[in-house]
Amino acid sequence: MEIEINNKTYRLVLGFEIHLELATKSKMFCRCPADWFGQKPNTLVCPICLGFPGCLPYPNEKAIEFTYKIALALNCKINSEFYFDRKHYFYPDLPKGYQITQWNRPIGYSGYLNLLSGKKIRITRVHLEEDTGKLIHRQGKTLVDYNRAGVPLVEIVTEPDFDNLEDAKEFLENLQLIFRKIRVSTANMEKGSMRLEPNMSLAEVKPDSSIDLPDYKVELKNINSFRFAKKAVEYEIKRQVELIKQGKLPDQETRGYNEDKGITVSQRKKEEALDYRYFPEPDIPVIRINKQDLAKIKAQIPELPIDLAKRLIKTYSLSKEKAVILAKKSNLAKLFETVLKRLKSSPAVKQKTAEKIANILINSRVKLNDPDEIIKLYTESIKPASYDKTKLATAVKQVIANNAQAATDYKRGKESAIMYLVGQCMRILKGQAPANKIKELLIKELNQAK
Ligand code: ZN
Ligand code: MN
């Protein structure tokens, strides 16, 4: 996306930070249940997740396994030895006064995810941490619920590789599909298990069409749907364009998105990693994963939706649109492939057949799961419509008799007259015969009558 401001061209520079709650049974460093949503406030807590002094955290093995799985699915380089760090800040939803997270040694780094267009989105890092509690603002008071405190949370950071919102949408939807496919999270945005934080700025485009990253970046918080992420970024683009128009550089800051007003509001200005006083968590030893375990996790990762869509397009010449729909529901894609293999279609009819089978699967109102049933539906759909030959013959004769002018026109070489006659036959037959058959018979009759 490029924008003209004061006779200069600017380009959107957009990246994301994604937080994902893992679908483990228990929390990250204690045995409290992790499924906090909708539970009575402050009932899923213990001295560890409440941050009582002297408590020792013990890490959740499943959460570590899930984080490796995510890192591998996103083509990351892997730290097979890692440790946790403390990130200090004061906030009522953070009972310990610090968050256990990963700073210097994330589980995954330097990964990527390719879009359908082939564009590569670089993944900066994938690390494991713990969620905070939740503040509830009610009737001028603020209440705090610690049920969510300590729930395993994975943070995924992308490079600012997006220059438009369509690519961002494709990427984020794919991430959500991947998380569900590899069964590490419900990735439910309404319930806050997948949360988006876009970061963006506007960069001046140089004559060679390249850009340097600008000296500022705005991070957007509190976003719980793709739609709001889009709206928040669109609002920010307008706001930043206005500032640049006035010759000002937008501030480096964190802004919250207000859903009701559709605007972003400044929350914090310029904070640096230094402010958090990161240091290695002394209560948890360094953790190592061996090659065999890593290989086992890798083997559990199935074909990802985007790869599946690409393969369907390549193998069956399926349209992009249909391939994406099928890839989203991998059971449909599987059925699609089974049916096509059974039909053993020749390459000549491959694309048409593939499109038709895809149509049947996508448009079916009932749940299809039997390949035989789909093949039956397909065979019916390609069978030439049956029609009454006597009725057709009568209709043709009648139309020729009633439209002498058109018949004469045709005989004198006016080819287009035939289509008028076909239309008249269709009317009489109420569409109960194929147009090509009508045309064939009309021409035969007219030629005989010469
Ligand atoms: Zn606990
Ligand atoms: Mn985080």
Side-chain angles (χ1 to χ4, degrees):
M1 178 189 270
E2 304 207 327
I3 306 160
E4 293 292 318
I5 313 172
N6 301 341
N7 295 321
K8 282 180 188 159
T9 309
Y10 286 79
R11 187 180 296 153
L12 173 67
V13 181
L14 175 66
F16 285 89
E17 226 181 84
I18 297 117
H19 279 98
L20 184 75
E21 282 182 343
L22 297 179
T24 52
K25 283 207 181 75
S26 56
K27 290 190 182 180
M28 189 59 224
F29 299 111
C30 61
R31 289 198 176 147
C32 294
D35 192 10
W36 62 274
F37 192 87
Q39 300 295 318
K40 196 166 176 252
N42 298 307
T43 53
L44 312 177
V45 290
C46 73
I48 294 176
C49 55
L50 285 175
F52 282 19
C55 283
L56 288 175
Y58 45 103
N60 183 329
E61 196 181 334
K62 202 73 191 168
I64 295 169
E65 183 193 316
F66 280 2
T67 311
Y68 274 107
K69 214 170 175 184
I70 294 169
L72 288 166
L74 299 178
N75 306 296
C76 284
K77 292 189 177 135
I78 295 295
N79 274 318
S80 52
E81 188 178 289
F82 73 92
Y83 53 86
F84 289 101
D85 293 282
R86 289 185 180 182
K87 178 186 184 181
H88 300 83
Y89 62 93
F90 175 78
Y91 208 64
D93 64 13
L94 188 73
K96 292 196 294 292
Y98 60 85
Q99 179 192 33
I100 303 180
T101 176
Q102 292 191 273
W103 181 238
N104 285 323
R105 242 345 146 83
I107 282 181
Y109 62 99
S110 297
Y112 64 87
L113 189 67
N114 285 330
L115 300 182
L116 217 45
S117 65
K119 182 174 172 157
K120 182 176 266 184
I121 304 300
R122 292 169 298 161
I123 310 284
T124 318
R125 56 189 283 140
V126 171
H127 75 241
L128 179 56
E129 57 188 33
E130 54 177 338
D131 210 346
T132 60
K134 210 172 155 59
L135 296 182
I136 302 153
H137 307 282
R138 197 175 284 166
Q139 297 166 351
K141 291 193 175 76
T142 297
L143 305 164
V144 59
D145 173 13
Y146 289 114
N147 281 352
R148 200 179 71 176
V151 167
L153 196 65
V154 165
E155 183 177 318
I156 296 128
V157 183
T158 79
E159 292 292 314
D161 283 349
F162 300 96
D163 61 11
N164 67 76
L165 282 157
E166 291 72 42
D167 282 355
K169 186 167 189 267
E170 185 189 328
F171 173 82
L172 294 168
E173 282 181 347
N174 257 290
L175 269 193
Q176 193 180 40
L177 285 172
I178 291 172
F179 298 147
R180 288 175 177 168
K181 182 93 203 174
I182 64 175
R183 297 168 179 277
V184 295
S185 172
T186 59
N188 185 326
M189 298 194 62
E190 291 85 62
K191 291 184 178 173
S193 22
M194 180 171 162
R195 311 198 282 267
L196 309 175
E197 284 163 15
N199 56 72
M200 50 141 326
S201 49
L202 298 175
E204 200 182 318
V205 181
K206 296 192 283 191
D208 68 352
S209 155
S210 70
I211 52 158
D212 291 327
L213 286 184
D215 290 331
Y216 77 97
K217 182 166 88 173
V218 172
E219 285 181 44
L220 299 168
K221 304 261 171 191
N222 314 337
I223 291 168
N224 62 4
S225 74
F226 297 131
R227 199 162 61 90
F228 286 143
K230 183 169 181 270
K231 283 188 167 180
V233 171
E234 281 167 347
Y235 176 84
E236 257 318 289
I237 293 172
K238 270 193 226 148
R239 193 186 67 86
Q240 292 175 24
V241 165
E242 270 320 302
L243 288 168
I244 295 169
K245 247 184 210 165
Q246 296 161 26
K248 293 177 194 157
L249 185 73
D251 283 336
Q252 166 111 2
E253 62 181 339
T254 300
R255 298 178 71 89
Y257 180 64
N258 182 317
E259 288 171 14
D260 301 329
K261 294 184 186 154
I263 60 168
T264 65
V265 191
S266 181
Q267 286 181 337
R268 303 193 285 273
K269 302 237 175 197
K270 282 195 179 161
E271 81 203 355
E272 310 266 336
L274 203 64
D275 299 335
Y276 291 121
R277 250 174 54 96
Y278 282 99
F279 64 69
E281 163 63 59
D283 289 338
I284 305 172
V286 170
I287 297 170
R288 291 177 194 90
I289 181 162
N290 63 38
K291 276 197 182 122
Q292 292 92 309
D293 287 342
L294 205 55
K296 245 186 245 164
I297 296 171
K298 197 167 189 174
Q300 289 169 14
I301 300 173
E303 184 179 33
L304 299 181
I306 206 152
D307 298 324
L308 175 56
K310 276 183 196 158
R311 194 165 58 76
L312 292 180
I313 293 169
K314 207 173 152 215
T315 317
Y316 305 100
S317 312
L318 195 60
S319 64
K320 183 180 156 184
E321 190 198 6
K322 292 205 178 77
V324 168
I325 299 174
L326 290 183
K328 275 185 188 170
K329 295 184 179 160
S330 56
N331 57 330
L332 282 192
K334 205 172 162 192
L335 213 45
F336 170 81
E337 293 206 88
T338 312
V339 168
L340 278 183
K341 265 176 209 143
R342 282 234 207 137
L343 287 172
K344 286 202 187 100
S345 46
S346 71
V349 295
K350 208 176 198 175
Q351 185 179 356
K352 261 191 167 169
T353 314
E355 290 287 317
K356 278 191 176 145
I357 300 288
N359 269 336
I360 291 169
L361 286 165
I362 293 165
N363 298 328
S364 172
R365 292 214 185 98
V366 291
K367 201 169 173 246
L368 297 169
N369 42 29
D370 177 11
D372 290 330
E373 193 187 348
I374 296 156
I375 292 173
K376 212 177 114 201
L377 287 171
Y378 168 70
T379 321
E380 272 165 21
S381 80
I382 55 165
K383 197 163 68 186
S386 61
Y387 59 94
D388 190 324
K389 285 193 178 147
T390 324
K391 269 190 191 165
L392 173 59
T394 318
V396 163
K397 285 204 173 96
Q398 191 189 333
V399 165
I400 291 174
N402 293 349
N403 297 277
Q405 188 58 52
T408 315
D409 287 349
Y410 174 76
K411 283 188 224 163
R412 285 185 184 151
K414 195 179 167 195
E415 289 283 331
S416 63
I418 198 78
M419 285 328 285
Y420 170 76
L421 294 173
V422 170
Q424 293 305 307
C425 290
M426 290 286 258
R427 261 180 61 187
I428 293 172
L429 296 163
K430 297 193 177 70
Q432 294 296 311
N436 59 341
K437 291 285 169 201
I438 299 176
K439 192 176 167 189
E440 218 171 81
L441 197 60
L442 270 170
I443 292 172
K444 202 173 144 201
E445 283 288 322
L446 287 166
N447 285 343
Q448 274 174 5
K450 244 176 207 171

